[in-house]
Amino acid sequence: MDWIRLTKSGKDLTGLKGRLIEVTEEELKKHNKKDDCWICIRGFVYNVSPYMEYHPGGEDELMRAAGSDGTDLFDQVHRWVNYESMLKECLVGRMAMKPAFPKGMLPQSQVTDTLAKEGPSSPSYDWFQTDSLVTIVIYTKQKDINLDSVIVDHRDDSFRAETVIKDYSYLVHVALSHEIQEDFSVLVVENVGKIEIVLKKKENTSWKCLGHPQENHNSFIPKKDTGLFYRKCQLVSKEDVTHDTKLFCLMLPPSTHLEVPVGQHVYLRLPITGTEIVKPYTPVCDSLFSEFKEPVLPNNIYIYFLIKIYPAGFFTPELDQLQIGDYVSVSNPEGNFIISQLQELEDLFLLAAGTGFTPMVKVLNYALTNIPSLRKVKLMFFNKTEDDIIWRSQLEKLAFKDKRFEVEFVLSAPTSEWSGKQGYISPALLSEFLKRRSDTSKVLICLCGPTPFTEQGMKMLHDLNFSKDEIHSFTA
Ligand code: FAD
Ligand code: NAD
């Protein structure tokens, strides 16, 4: 908030009195001290000296990119942070000689050349029409493609279909040549990796072309090099779950196809005193009892979140202020959990602390419904007090209904009446809880919570001789 106040104060933060300049590489290199520090991100140069003391990661972290192109470093740490908005008052100008090609802007031939060496082969697209329909076909050349691999957004005449293939993103992005109706369908032919997006024409005329290419159309680039795409979603409902945690339901805009894969999160974005602020959240199901089925359009238009409101927090009090009908922007999904980690699993152990429970919801639901080999799912749920336990009665009901599922609550600040387990995560708690059925049984342990919880937990699991492949920790 202090930083935002400073940016609104009218103070000259670049030292250039509002002028924007072209910056050469030589010039950039000169500004490499704390009190005169320029950094280039995606071809734009910022004077970050005034921001130094506000940087959550500290001054030294920022200095690592002083006088140079900090794009890669920035992307490694927090590519989802909306620096354009946060640093707009610090903009010095553009690079005259770009230190590298701006991310996502590589000429097509270079994209293909780079990928041919290191990534999956580039998809392609085609389109055809009947009197009433236009079908866009994306040939991914991959077998493990499904409905959550493609995200479609159609607004006004702009049509955007992003297909995620491993760590790469393939984009079809055009301004359509004619109008289409609001609803469309997305079909995936999994065994050949073909995606069909069927659009309904508004008028039965013949289209000469699909439309005009928009930014990054027909590009296939590493996902980490693409910006996050957001769409505005409407708040449909907000229910109390505990004294400080609420279930938010957001509705996707019409003409959107977006399914957040199991174990992945999205970024929510809100303008806070004129600056776009972004935080990550993990979508959940509306309850533990919504059977996990393949979502079918057009019902798949709601996204649910369990969000703890921190009264002294920056983002969540603003989120809590939203009224039904208000909008919040939701990004494309991110995350490194892969559903195949659950295949042929026999024992699934979930270690969750506080809202670290959120990624476990879909993992639990998916595993119980879709993994025939599964014999046991055990959740150890760490909270401060009984009042903090999210969906306690649902968890107990699920354990009663499905004998494969067990839940154990561990409290770090219980009242004197609490007779269950107490304390923080510990080797003693874990070694008692994590009983392998046999030496050869396939096991996965998922871990999520406050950073010290996750870090300590990871270390304890390694000490207990679980291998890296048997552990997944959820982080940003
Ligand atoms: P913040 O401003 O970050 O503050 C949080 C608390 O820390 C407050 O009590 C504040 O007073 C205190 N604090 C802040 N700064 C300091 C400081 N310097 N020293 C001491 N105390 C401080 N959360 C959910 O509720 N649900 C989810 O589904 C969810 N999913 C997530 C997924 C991922 C991948 C990650 C990384 C996080 C997720 N989170 C989730 C956490 C979420 O992103 C936010 O961190 C959280 O909502 C707090 O945001 P805030 O801006 O309101 O609070
Ligand atoms: P909290 O403060 O209510 O604590 C819950 C439990 O975490 C405590 O009872 C304790 O058992 C454990 N814990 C807390 N501090 C600890 C410490 N220093 N050492 C060991 N154990 C500790 O938790 P909260 O406010 O609900 O916060 C949840 C955290 O989970 C947030 O930091 C959030 O960012 C994170 N989160 C991450 C993801 C993700 O995918 N990476 C998803 C959701 C939440």
Side-chain angles (χ1 to χ4, degrees), residues 265 279-282 306-308 310 312-316 355 358 476:
H265 54 271
K279 292 259 164 147
Y281 294 93
T282 316
L306 282 165
I307 297 181
K308 180 182 281 197
Y310 296 87
F314 190 28
F315 192 81
T316 48
T355 56
T358 53

Side-chain angles (χ1 to χ4, degrees), residues 44-69:
F44 289 93
V45 178
Y46 298 90
N47 178 349
V48 296
S49 292
Y51 180 61
M52 284 278 169
E53 62 178 296
Y54 302 94
H55 184 230
E59 298 186 349
D60 291 345
E61 275 298 302
L62 217 48
M63 282 307 292
R64 287 172 64 196
S68 66
D69 186 352

Side-chain angles (χ1 to χ4, degrees), residues 231-275:
R231 74 277 304 144
K232 281 190 172 169
C233 296
Q234 204 168 18
L235 179 64
V236 177
S237 65
K238 184 169 69 168
E239 278 168 35
D240 288 340
V241 172
T242 69
H243 63 103
D244 60 4
T245 301
K246 298 185 182 187
L247 182 68
F248 289 79
C249 175
L250 300 181
M251 185 170 65
L252 288 165
S255 304
T256 306
H257 169 86
L258 167 64
E259 293 173 7
V260 180
V262 172
Q264 296 204 5
H265 54 271
V266 295
Y267 294 93
L268 298 187
R269 189 177 75 185
L270 276 178
I272 300 182
T273 58
T275 297

Side-chain angles (χ1 to χ4, degrees), residues 357-391:
F357 172 62
T358 53
M360 309 304 177
V361 172
K362 282 196 187 182
V363 170
L364 176 61
N365 238 335
Y366 184 89
L368 286 175
T369 320
N370 289 274
I371 306 296
S373 54
L374 195 74
R375 284 188 271 182
K376 204 89 213 155
V377 186
K378 285 171 78 176
L379 166 69
M380 186 169 258
F381 195 1
F382 296 81
N383 283 280
K384 289 186 291 232
T385 70
E386 278 184 271
D387 291 344
D388 294 314
I389 303 174
I390 296 170
W391 284 352

Side-chain angles (χ1 to χ4, degrees), residues 259-372:
E259 293 173 7
V260 180
V262 172
Q264 296 204 5
H265 54 271
V266 295
Y267 294 93
L268 298 187
R269 189 177 75 185
L270 276 178
I272 300 182
T273 58
T275 297
E276 299 279 4
I277 304 296
V278 169
K279 292 259 164 147
Y281 294 93
T282 316
V284 295
C285 315
D286 58 342
S287 91
L288 285 178
F289 294 96
S290 47
E291 289 282 289
F292 201 100
K293 8 182 183 16
E294 282 294 324
V296 183
L297 286 169
N299 298 335
N300 178 40
I301 56 171
Y302 299 111
I303 308 187
Y304 294 89
F305 296 93
L306 282 165
I307 297 181
K308 180 182 281 197
I309 310 298
Y310 296 87
F314 190 28
F315 192 81
T316 48
E318 294 288 329
L319 202 59
D320 198 28
Q321 289 296 310
L322 293 183
Q323 302 298 309
I324 304 305
D326 284 349
Y327 288 89
V328 54
S329 297
V330 177
S331 78
N332 285 1
E334 293 266 291
N336 52 11
F337 184 82
I338 307 165
I339 200 98
S340 60
Q341 288 175 264
L342 296 172
Q343 292 313 323
E344 284 155 32
L345 204 65
E346 289 164 65
D347 292 309
L348 175 62
F349 297 105
L350 308 173
L351 304 172
T355 56
F357 172 62
T358 53
M360 309 304 177
V361 172
K362 282 196 187 182
V363 170
L364 176 61
N365 238 335
Y366 184 89
L368 286 175
T369 320
N370 289 274
I371 306 296

